Amino acid sequence: MSLLIIGGTGTLGRQIVKQAMNEGYQVKCFVRNLRRASFLRDWGAELVYGDLSLPETIPPALKGVTAIIDASTVRPTDDYNSEKIDWLGKVALIKAAELAAVKKFVFFSVLGAEENASIPLVDLKLKVGQVLRNSPMDCTLFNCSGFFQGIINQYAIPVLENKTVWLVEKSAPIAYLDTQDAAIAVVGNLKAKSPGFQTLALIGTKFWTSEEIIALCERLSGKKARISYIPNIALGGLRRFFRFFEFTWNISDRLQFSELQADIPKITTNIKEPQWSNSRLSLESYLQEYFGKILKKLKETNYQQSQRNNEISFL
């Protein structure tokens, strides 16, 4: 099977590329910046230039492709708005894939999307999901909650560096998952006999509130967190401010993700999960390994510094 992976340089995408390569798939990566994606070539993937904002670049990349995994989304720093990539670009990709007789299409959305359709990016994902639902291709839509890797910058590093951890009032709990476990499930799904359209929840084993994650970081780091809360009304005002300027629309859309409000754990009772072929890594184990490495490095650095100080004193 020949795969075309879009978003292969991203946090989840790169793990999917690596897992697919490990399982012997022929992998092509659809990328805008060949230099930035050079590490994927080093892994053995073929790089093909393409840009979802330029539909004419899509068809050449589909030659010989039997399955597409689309893990891409617009970045807050991109020049164009989310509708150009996450709607028009996605639809162009799906239609081109249908014409090229691609057999399977994998897409990623947000857990609890139906309950949060007022959020622009979520609404676009819902619309793309509907297009896939009506597609002749076999399609799998993975609803994601959150990934471990995003916790480091948001919680772990501020706690270690004694900086303020900013939290949103009344935020929904998140079932964080390691991207390596997610990649195993996604690539494994390619082998599943699942004709038509199916929806699967790509989530961890437990839903975590922000306060629970901070408490875990405090226990593992031995440091006390500085916490400040952002009122939802202030977050909404900031988001609306950024919508005044076209070049900050992407930032506005990202801010609105923080306003996700839904009983997510209850939602998952009605959503099927993939067949997990491995034991999913727990958040406790992930953070324990992270803090263990960081604290060990800090001790080594402090020791080396003290040795240098002793040498200077002796001289």
Side-chain angles (χ1 to χ4, degrees):
M1 182 181 287
S2 175
L3 304 181
L4 179 67
I5 298 177
I6 303 168
T9 59
T11 303
L12 175 60
R14 66 181 61 197
Q15 294 298 336
I16 293 174
V17 172
K18 184 180 293 185
Q19 182 63 28
M21 297 293 299
N22 290 342
E23 295 195 20
Y25 286 98
Q26 181 184 348
V27 176
K28 291 200 292 185
C29 294
F30 186 86
V31 298
R32 287 183 295 167
N33 189 324
L34 296 173
R35 179 179 297 178
R36 185 170 180 265
S38 60
F39 69 96
L40 299 175
R41 184 190 291 115
D42 295 338
W43 291 354
E46 176 187 353
L47 301 185
V48 292
Y49 171 76
D51 189 335
L52 291 181
S53 68
L54 302 172
E56 64 273 15
T57 66
I58 298 174
L62 299 179
K63 184 178 180 180
V65 171
T66 53
I68 294 174
I69 300 178
D70 180 12
S72 66
T73 190
V74 67
R75 295 186 178 91
T77 54
D78 284 337
D79 295 331
Y80 28 71
N81 62 42
S82 57
E83 185 172 355
K84 192 167 187 177
I85 296 296
D86 287 287
W87 171 239
L88 299 177
K90 304 289 187 181
V91 172
L93 173 64
I94 294 168
K95 296 308 177 184
E98 292 173 354
L99 291 174
V102 173
K103 298 184 182 299
K104 189 173 183 66
F105 197 104
V106 177
F107 183 66
F108 299 89
S109 187
V110 180
L111 194 67
E114 291 80 5
E115 291 74 18
N116 293 278
S118 61
I119 298 176
L121 271 178
V122 175
D123 183 53
L124 294 179
K125 289 185 178 294
L126 286 170
K127 290 179 180 178
V128 173
Q130 189 58 46
V131 174
L132 290 172
R133 192 179 295 272
N134 297 323
S135 173
M137 296 183 290
D138 293 338
C139 302
T140 299
L141 188 152
F142 287 101
N143 285 313
C144 306
S145 185
F147 298 110
F148 292 169
Q149 287 69 19
I151 290 176
I152 301 303
N153 285 330
Q154 186 175 0
Y155 299 103
I157 292 178
V159 170
L160 277 173
E161 297 182 351
N162 197 33
K163 294 182 179 179
T164 302
V165 181
W166 294 95
L167 302 181
V168 178
E169 291 181 343
K170 300 178 181 179
S171 59
I174 297 175
Y176 291 97
L177 179 69
D178 184 31
T179 53
Q180 292 184 16
D181 288 336
I184 291 172
V186 171
V187 176
N189 177 260
L190 296 174
K191 303 174 184 176
K193 296 181 180 179
S194 52
F197 180 88
Q198 68 168 338
T199 301
L200 298 173
L202 199 62
I203 58 177
T205 58
K206 177 184 175 181
F207 283 85
W208 292 81
T209 64
S210 298
E211 288 77 9
E212 288 173 331
I213 296 173
I214 290 175
L216 181 59
C217 290
E218 288 178 327
R219 176 167 62 83
L220 294 173
S221 67
K223 295 193 174 185
K224 186 69 175 176
R226 297 169 55 189
I227 304 172
S228 289
Y229 286 89
I230 305 174
N232 289 87
I233 188 172
L235 186 69
L238 185 62
R239 173 178 52 80
R240 287 189 291 273
F241 170 77
F242 280 123
R243 290 297 294 181
F244 278 115
F245 310 99
E246 185 172 355
F247 65 92
T248 56
W249 280 357
N250 295 335
I251 299 174
S252 173
D253 291 343
R254 286 285 185 259
L255 282 172
Q256 198 166 5
F257 264 110
S258 301
E259 298 179 58
L260 280 170
Q261 296 292 327
D263 190 355
I264 303 295
K266 185 178 180 180
I267 290 172
T268 58
T269 59
N270 300 318
I271 295 181
K272 182 180 177 182
E273 291 188 45
Q275 293 294 326
W276 296 100
S277 60
N278 61 304
S279 178
R280 283 167 284 179
L281 182 68
S282 68
L283 180 59
E284 294 96 327
S285 297
Y286 178 83
L287 286 178
Q288 188 171 29
E289 181 180 2
Y290 172 79
F291 281 111
K293 289 180 178 178
I294 293 297
L295 294 176
K296 180 181 178 181
K297 186 67 175 178
L298 288 174
K299 288 180 181 178
E300 291 174 351
T301 302
N302 291 337
Y303 175 77
Q304 292 170 0
Q305 183 63 46
S306 65
Q307 289 295 101
R308 285 195 294 269
N309 291 340
N310 288 338
E311 290 173 2
I312 292 173
S313 299
F314 178 77
L315 292 175

